[in-house]
């Protein structure tokens, strides 16, 4: 499971579809609807949020918005109510790691998308997150 901290606009089609599915799985986990993935490190940020379910809905809403912009038809009814929630801090080190990881994936899977982003200084954050200085997150597994 990879719940990207970077903005969904940076993902290629396969990455955006995978993010939608993985975020829906995360929502099910946070709602207690599945026994698997309950201790997955990617969920720690959401579990620590004062409103975990609202936070994942806000996360999904931004993914849905990007998908809609691209003409995809993700099922909006799967998100649930979207409320304004406190943003989640993401460190500059975490964003840098994810950016490098994504660029490696894109180089192989989607060369045109890789070329679009390779010359940029770095990613925008997912709208749920805000950037703060710091190292890679302690929950991150080596990629």
């Amino acid at each position: 499971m990879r719940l990207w901290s970077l903005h969904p606009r940076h993902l290629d089609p396969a990455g955006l579809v995978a993010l939608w599915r993985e975020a829906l799985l995360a929502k099910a986990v946070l709602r207690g609807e599945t026994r698997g993935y309950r201790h997955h490190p990617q969920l720690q940020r959401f579990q620590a949020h004062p409103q975990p379910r609202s936070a994942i809905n806000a996360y999904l809403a931004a993914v849905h918005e990007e998908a809609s912009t691209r003409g995809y038809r993700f099922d909006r009814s799967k998100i649930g109510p979207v409320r304004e929630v406190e943003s989640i801090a993401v460190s500059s080190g975490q964003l840098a790691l994810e950016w490098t990881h994504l660029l490696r994936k894109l180089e192989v899977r989607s060369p045109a998308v890789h070329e679009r982003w390779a010359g940029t200084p770095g990613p925008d954050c997912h709208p749920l997150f805000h950037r703060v200085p710091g190292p890679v997150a302690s929950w991150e597994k080596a990629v």
Side-chain angles (χ1 to χ4, degrees):
M1 178 185 298
R2 169 64 63 186
L3 298 174
W4 296 99
S5 306
L6 47 84
H7 199 289
R9 80 169 57 95
H10 299 298
L11 301 174
D12 64 333
L16 188 62
V17 170
L19 178 60
W20 176 251
R21 290 181 177 160
E22 291 169 0
L24 288 173
L25 172 59
K27 178 182 175 174
V29 172
L30 293 169
R31 293 174 55 102
E33 296 172 347
T34 181
R35 291 168 50 167
Y37 291 97
R38 288 183 306 180
H39 304 293
H40 197 286
Q42 289 278 328
L43 292 175
Q44 288 181 18
R45 299 181 286 185
F46 292 92
Q47 291 164 330
H49 192 279
Q51 301 169 293
R53 292 180 183 181
S54 293
I56 197 66
N57 286 350
Y59 187 91
L60 277 159
V63 176
H64 182 270
E65 183 177 331
E66 177 61 27
S68 295
T69 298
R70 296 185 192 190
Y72 301 171
R73 296 172 52 132
F74 291 1
D75 185 354
R76 171 67 178 82
S77 69
K78 292 185 177 192
I79 297 174
V82 178
R83 297 182 175 91
E84 194 169 320
V85 295
E86 182 181 318
S87 66
I88 299 172
V90 60
S91 69
S92 54
Q94 181 64 31
L95 281 169
L97 177 131
E98 290 184 23
W99 187 238
T100 300
H101 181 54
L102 177 63
L103 289 176
R104 272 191 250 121
K105 285 177 163 283
L106 293 176
E107 189 172 25
V108 173
R109 189 173 66 203
S110 299
V113 178
H114 177 267
E115 186 176 326
R116 176 180 181 195
W117 296 117
T120 61
D124 294 321
C125 289
H126 183 287
L128 178 61
F129 298 103
H130 66 274
R131 184 186 320 247
V132 296
V136 173
S138 61
W139 49 261
E140 180 65 72
K141 294 184 175 186
V143 290

